[in-house]
Amino acid sequence: MATPQPDRQQRLPELATRRILICRPEPEASRLAEAFRAAGAECRTMPLLVREPLPETPEQRTQLQELDNFSHVIAVSPFAAGLLLDHIDHWWPQIPLGIQWYGVGSGTSSVFAGHGLKARQPRQGWTSEALLELPSLQNLAGDKVLLARGEQGRELIRETLEQRGAKVSVMPLYRRVQPYYPPEQVDEIFGNFRPEVVIALSGETLNNLNDLATGYQLGLHRTLVVVPAERVARKAEEAGFTNLIIPAGLDDQSLITSVASKLAAKS
């Protein structure tokens, strides 16, 4: 899967020497860290989720071979979209026409666009709730929908589309695993590096962060933590985090700009 390259990043005085910990999976973590460093920040990466592709099942082979029977294909993340396209390429020399493609956010839609597919995405926001507001997903009586996602995940899209009359086929393409970090590495990050900002762009990432840094929770709960949506922010508050920000977008530039603006407002 092709990884988009970051644009040339301008240095921002608000980020100069700021210590930022990025907990996204790879390769997104390293790409974002490079962009933050170019803006002047000190960055470490500590991915708290590892995505492992799942082997293709007989059921998935059938779904892929019958792709032209689906009216709508939805991917919940750029990773899901990339894996789905890899599978489709194996079975279809040319992607069948007449399918409406969807990405939950701009990053997912851009993966489809790189394959020559015009994907619909929410007009505002990048959540499942925002996707479900699209007019083309309202009246789905009898429509077949293929939903590409991870092995475990929210059931909101599937349940909502089924309530609207769709026949939804879920295609789990990967599993998310919490990686192991030795105690000395945890101590080095949270005791020595002491991040001022933590990028944690999923509820599962936030839970793993809380589990990992048990000896540093008092300080960590006051650290500025970037979360992706109100739903995750509420869970973060329940877990004890008190300094939260929802960025203007989940692309690298929006994350950098949102963090810089928040830090500038606090100075």
Side-chain angles (χ1 to χ4, degrees):
M1 290 177 292
T3 301
Q5 296 301 309
D7 294 331
R8 187 173 183 85
Q9 176 62 53
Q10 182 180 4
R11 295 182 71 84
L12 301 175
E14 301 89 348
L15 294 177
T17 70
R18 295 287 197 169
R19 300 182 305 278
I20 297 175
L21 177 66
I22 298 172
C23 298
R24 302 188 77 178
E26 292 290 5
E28 294 93 330
S30 292
R31 190 190 70 221
L32 181 58
E34 181 182 344
F36 263 112
R37 290 185 189 112
E42 296 181 20
C43 251
R44 301 285 182 88
T45 61
M46 182 177 249
L48 293 181
L49 287 176
V50 174
R51 298 170 301 204
E52 298 178 347
L54 296 170
E56 188 177 272
T57 66
E59 180 183 9
Q60 288 176 349
R61 282 196 290 274
T62 300
Q63 291 170 343
L64 291 162
Q65 290 166 352
E66 298 177 353
L67 184 66
D68 54 340
N69 290 332
F70 289 94
S71 302
H72 312 267
V73 174
I74 301 171
V76 302
S77 68
F79 193 68
L83 289 176
L84 175 63
L85 290 171
D86 288 345
H87 284 294
I88 290 173
D89 281 346
H90 178 73
W91 294 103
W92 290 88
Q94 284 189 312
I95 294 179
L97 301 175
I99 299 172
Q100 297 184 55
W101 302 84
Y102 300 84
V104 171
S106 60
T108 308
S109 295
S110 69
V111 174
F112 283 133
H115 222 72
L117 301 170
K118 186 176 181 180
R120 305 182 186 204
Q121 67 185 66
R123 293 192 179 96
Q124 291 185 326
W126 47 86
T127 63
S128 299
E129 289 85 351
L131 179 81
L132 290 166
E133 292 179 4
L134 287 173
S136 56
L137 291 177
Q138 301 308 306
N139 301 307
L140 298 172
D143 283 7
K144 293 187 69 175
V145 179
L146 183 64
L147 177 59
R149 65 176 218 187
E151 187 177 47
Q152 307 264 324
R154 298 176 71 198
E155 298 294 338
L156 179 67
I157 293 177
R158 179 186 63 80
E159 291 175 350
T160 303
L161 296 184
E162 287 178 344
Q163 290 167 6
R164 295 174 182 175
K167 298 176 181 177
V168 181
S169 298
V170 175
M171 183 178 284
L173 294 172
Y174 59 95
R175 65 167 57 94
R176 292 181 292 269
V177 180
Q178 181 176 358
Y180 169 76
Y181 290 99
E184 56 269 22
Q185 189 172 355
V186 176
D187 292 342
E188 199 283 324
I189 289 290
F190 296 103
N192 297 332
F193 180 64
R194 291 180 293 111
E196 299 171 83
V197 181
V198 176
I199 312 291
L201 298 183
S202 73
E204 195 172 353
T205 298
L206 198 72
N207 292 338
N208 293 347
L209 175 67
N210 224 14
D211 291 342
L212 183 72
T214 51
Y216 298 94
Q217 284 181 344
L218 185 61
L220 184 61
H221 284 174
R222 293 195 296 264
T223 299
L224 178 62
V225 178
V226 183
V227 295
E230 288 288 351
R231 175 182 59 86
V232 181
R234 289 193 295 270
K235 290 186 176 182
E237 289 171 347
E238 292 170 3
F241 293 91
T242 59
N243 190 8
L244 303 165
I245 176 178
I246 300 171
L250 299 186
D251 59 283
D252 292 355
Q253 187 57 56
S254 294
L255 289 167
I256 290 169
T257 302
S258 296
V259 169
S261 297
K262 181 70 172 181
L263 293 173
K266 290 180 63 179
S267 12

